[in-house]
């Protein structure tokens, strides 16, 4: 019935159920496991998409020009949540529904966030590295118990982080533009203002989406307002943090440490100033990289692609408002 181009990694090994589901509904999956990621340049997409009905997108850039060369394309599904590499308005103008898989990788990101937090408080990785060098250091860490932990964003991931922190007896505070007061009460979370979170918490964990307004939100001025000796964890989006400003605050001791899983430019430049800080922990945007998340994301996107190709309304339709405006539906 339709051709589905997949440019998300490990689709042939970790997403077999989704692949089978698409085939059972009569669709042909086009996937090249030999490609690195991003899998296709824009020039390549303009060629390969000519005869494609839907796409599962990893890191490839889907722009106005790309959509203009894809006359049969009906759906583009991001293998994850953030659709910043897809021009949603351009997609709408060309009659393409943009889909995603919200919440499917939330637990993986939440677990990584907690792992990063524990490492920052106890210095696990730095101690491990010292032992490998033949050292046997005495190091005084900190406990999460009784600490004020601030969550910037209280959506699916923030709520899961809060739920897991309950077992550590931490005092959890959260800020959100649209606070879920009922869920906060269930989890013992105190909803607070942004200033209170920044200025009073022992650790601040970022869980908000990127936007023009939030670009480099954590700049030098905001970092200066954080509690002396606090920790910063960012497993959301790299553009939220000014890395040069953060490196300065880490080196001066304003902050005790930071853990980062997302960066404005990826891969991170090996000469980036942040890497010269001894009190930083970095991971290669691996929050959603779990076997469980890949299965759930692939099935979620496959089901919505099937709906679109069956001329049904998808569940997770990111550009619905743009599409309706542009198409007059």
């Amino acid at each position: 019935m339709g051709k589905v181009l997949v440019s998300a990694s490990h689709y042939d090994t970790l997403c077999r159920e989704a692949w089978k589901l698409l085939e059972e509904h009569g669709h042909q999956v086009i996937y090249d496991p030999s490609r690195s990621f991003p899998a296709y340049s824009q020039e390549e997409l303009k060629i390969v998409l000519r005869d494609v009905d839907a796409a599962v997108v990893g890191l490839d850039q889907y722009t106005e020009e790309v959509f203009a060369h894809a006359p049969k394309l009906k759906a583009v599904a991001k293998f994850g949540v953030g659709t910043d590499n897809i021009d949603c308005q351009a997609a709408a103008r060309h009659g393409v529904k943009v889909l995603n898989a919200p919440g499917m990788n939330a637990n993986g990101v939440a677990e990584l966030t907690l792992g990063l937090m524990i490492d920052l408080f106890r210095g696990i990785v730095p101690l491990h590295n010292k032992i490998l060098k033949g050292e046997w250091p005495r190091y005084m860490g900190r406990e999460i118990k009784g600490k004020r932990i601030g969550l910037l964003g209280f959506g699916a991931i923030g709520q899961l982080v809060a739920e897991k922190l309950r077992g550590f007896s931490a005092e959890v505070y959260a800020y959100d533009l649209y606070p879920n007061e009922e869920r906060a009460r269930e989890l013992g979370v105190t909803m607070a203002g942004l200033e209170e979170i920044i200025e009073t918490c022992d650790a601040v964990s970022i869980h908000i989406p990127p936007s023009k307004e939030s670009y480099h939100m954590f700049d030098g001025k905001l970092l200066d307002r954080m509690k002396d000796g606090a920790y910063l964890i960012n497993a959301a989006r790299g553009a939220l943090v000014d890395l040069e400003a953060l490196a300065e605050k880490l080196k001066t001791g304003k902050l005790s440490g930071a853990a980062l899983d997302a960066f404005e430019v990826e891969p991170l430049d090996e000469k980036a100033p942040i890497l010269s800080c001894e009190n930083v922990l970095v991971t290669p945007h691996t929050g959603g990289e779990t076997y469980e998340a890949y299965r759930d994301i692939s099935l979620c996107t496959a089901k919505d692609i099937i709906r679109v190709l069956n001329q049904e309304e998808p569940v997770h339709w990111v550009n619905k408002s743009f599409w309706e405006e542009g198409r007059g539906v």
Side-chain angles (χ1 to χ4, degrees):
M1 290 175 64
K3 293 182 179 180
V4 181
L5 175 69
V6 176
S7 61
S9 62
H10 308 301
Y11 208 82
D12 56 336
T13 55
L14 303 183
C15 308
R16 291 300 306 172
E17 288 181 67
W19 190 314
K20 182 180 179 182
L21 183 64
L22 287 166
E23 290 184 333
E24 287 176 347
H25 283 78
H27 305 305
Q28 177 188 353
V29 176
I30 303 170
Y31 178 71
D32 184 352
S34 68
R35 288 181 173 268
S36 57
F37 297 89
Y40 295 92
S41 67
Q42 290 192 50
E43 291 303 313
E44 289 174 318
L45 285 173
K46 285 157 59 176
I47 297 173
V48 74
L49 287 174
R50 290 173 181 170
D51 195 34
V52 165
D53 300 277
V56 179
V57 181
L59 300 175
D60 314 276
Q61 297 291 322
Y62 275 66
T63 63
E64 174 86 51
E65 189 175 2
V66 167
F67 288 119
H69 286 78
K72 296 182 63 180
L73 195 63
K74 300 175 184 68
V76 171
K78 177 61 184 284
F79 195 87
V81 181
T83 55
D84 39 304
N85 60 319
I86 302 171
D87 188 331
C88 292
Q89 287 184 283
R93 285 193 291 272
H94 290 274
V96 178
K97 294 180 173 70
V98 177
L99 319 170
N100 69 348
M104 297 298 109
N105 66 354
N107 190 68
V109 177
E111 287 190 1
L112 179 69
T113 297
L114 193 59
L116 294 173
M117 193 178 299
I118 293 171
D119 187 274
L120 286 178
F121 274 71
R122 298 304 303 270
I124 297 171
V125 170
L127 289 173
H128 168 80
N129 291 335
K130 287 181 181 296
I131 289 178
L132 292 182
K133 295 178 182 178
E135 303 176 32
W136 194 259
R138 302 297 297 174
Y139 175 80
M140 299 302 294
R142 294 182 172 88
E143 298 178 11
I144 294 176
K145 179 181 178 180
K147 298 298 187 298
R148 292 172 65 102
I149 308 298
L151 307 177
L152 225 58
F154 195 59
I157 296 172
Q159 291 174 26
L160 282 168
V161 173
E163 183 178 338
K164 298 175 194 310
L165 282 169
R166 295 181 75 179
F168 288 81
S169 301
E171 296 180 17
V172 183
Y173 294 77
Y175 166 77
D176 198 283
L177 288 174
Y178 308 99
N180 188 331
E181 299 284 357
E182 181 179 353
R183 187 62 176 143
R185 284 192 295 271
E186 291 174 357
L187 295 173
V189 173
T190 301
M191 298 305 298
L194 176 61
E195 290 188 3
E196 183 179 356
I197 295 287
I198 296 297
E199 296 173 2
T200 68
C201 287
D202 300 292
V204 175
S205 187
I206 306 174
H207 302 288
I208 58 177
S211 67
K212 292 180 180 179
E213 293 74 24
S214 64
Y215 178 75
H216 281 190
M217 175 182 181
F218 280 81
D219 57 11
K221 291 181 179 179
L222 191 64
L223 293 170
D224 274 335
R225 290 169 52 194
M226 289 182 67
K227 183 177 179 180
D228 288 346
Y231 299 95
L232 181 67
I233 300 101
N234 182 21
R237 285 291 185 269
L240 297 167
V241 179
D242 182 338
L243 282 190
E244 292 189 8
L246 177 59
E248 179 187 346
K249 305 309 173 186
L250 290 171
K251 290 177 179 179
T252 62
K254 166 63 182 177
L255 300 181
S256 290
L260 310 168
D261 184 52
F263 304 90
E264 192 171 347
V265 177
E266 297 178 352
L268 180 64
D269 189 333
E270 62 182 12
K271 295 181 180 180
I274 193 71
L275 295 179
S276 64
C277 300
E278 296 183 359
N279 48 350
V280 69
L281 178 65
V282 293
T283 49
H285 209 150
T286 194
E289 301 288 303
T290 68
Y291 290 99
E292 295 83 358
Y294 266 63
R295 176 187 179 275
D296 293 344
I297 292 171
S298 62
L299 284 172
C300 178
T301 51
K303 289 175 182 177
D304 257 353
I305 283 176
I306 290 168
R307 291 186 183 100
V308 173
L309 296 184
N310 284 343
Q311 298 184 13
E312 300 170 4
E313 182 166 321
V315 176
H316 306 293
W317 187 355
V318 177
N319 69 336
K320 184 176 182 179
S321 61
F322 295 139
W323 206 88
E324 291 175 342
E325 292 171 6
R327 301 286 293 182
V329 177

